[in-house]
Amino acid sequence: MTLVSPQYRSASSAAVAAHRTVFDAMDEVGPQVGDDMTVEVALCVMAGARAGHLIVRDDDGRCTGLVTRAQLTAVRDGSAYTDRIRLREITGNDEPFTSPLTAMSEAEHAMRGRRLRALPVVDEHGTALGVLTLSR
């Protein structure tokens, strides 16, 4: 889903847009993979799914982050790369997430501030519900 600034024609539609939440704009969660998967296998999964990103989960099914093709390619092309690098080594505990109840304006501001193009949407248990994407 691309976030844009729509042109509102009436006060009532502007009021509705002001109360939009992430839930209203998020895309389906898409492919999810375990954090023990290697970078090379993740790139193959991503290519097979024709996806630009993958949601990464831990052993309990909680979302630990999101990886993009660009991130995985940069790791693979790096001088420290080995075929043993796992996704858990790329994603960390400081990965950003958002709640489906977050206001769209707040989420968009945070994504632009951190220069994120995609952000996992998780529930109170850490389960991925969707992905919020932002075009530049």
Side-chain angles (χ1 to χ4, degrees):
M1 159 119 314
T2 301
L3 300 180
V4 295
S5 298
Q7 300 297 319
Y8 297 106
R9 299 179 194 265
S10 70
S12 63
S13 63
V16 170
H19 295 349
R20 262 183 72 157
T21 64
V22 167
F23 181 81
D24 299 321
M26 69 182 189
D27 291 329
E28 292 182 17
V29 72
Q32 299 185 48
V33 297
D35 63 358
D36 60 339
M37 183 175 283
T38 65
V39 169
E40 202 63 43
V41 173
L43 280 165
C44 290
V45 168
M46 196 176 288
R50 296 182 183 188
H53 60 266
L54 298 172
I55 294 289
V56 182
R57 299 180 314 204
D58 65 13
D59 292 337
D60 296 323
R62 288 185 298 253
C63 178
T64 60
L66 179 144
V67 291
T68 65
R69 179 171 290 131
Q71 284 176 296
L72 295 177
T73 301
V75 169
R76 185 190 60 198
D77 295 344
S79 61
Y81 176 74
T82 72
D83 61 358
R84 294 184 181 148
I85 295 178
R86 309 273 178 194
L87 296 180
R88 71 172 57 102
E89 298 170 44
I90 297 170
T91 59
N93 293 336
D94 63 341
E95 291 288 320
F97 306 96
T98 192
S99 161
L101 303 177
T102 303
M104 273 303 300
S105 57
E106 183 181 332
E108 182 176 7
H109 179 75
M111 289 176 73
R112 289 191 189 285
R114 293 185 79 167
R115 296 185 179 170
L116 300 172
R117 294 191 68 192
L119 186 63
V121 180
V122 299
D123 66 11
E124 64 274 6
H125 304 290
T127 302
L129 301 174
V131 176
L132 184 64
T133 57
L134 180 68
S135 68
R136 293 185 188 235

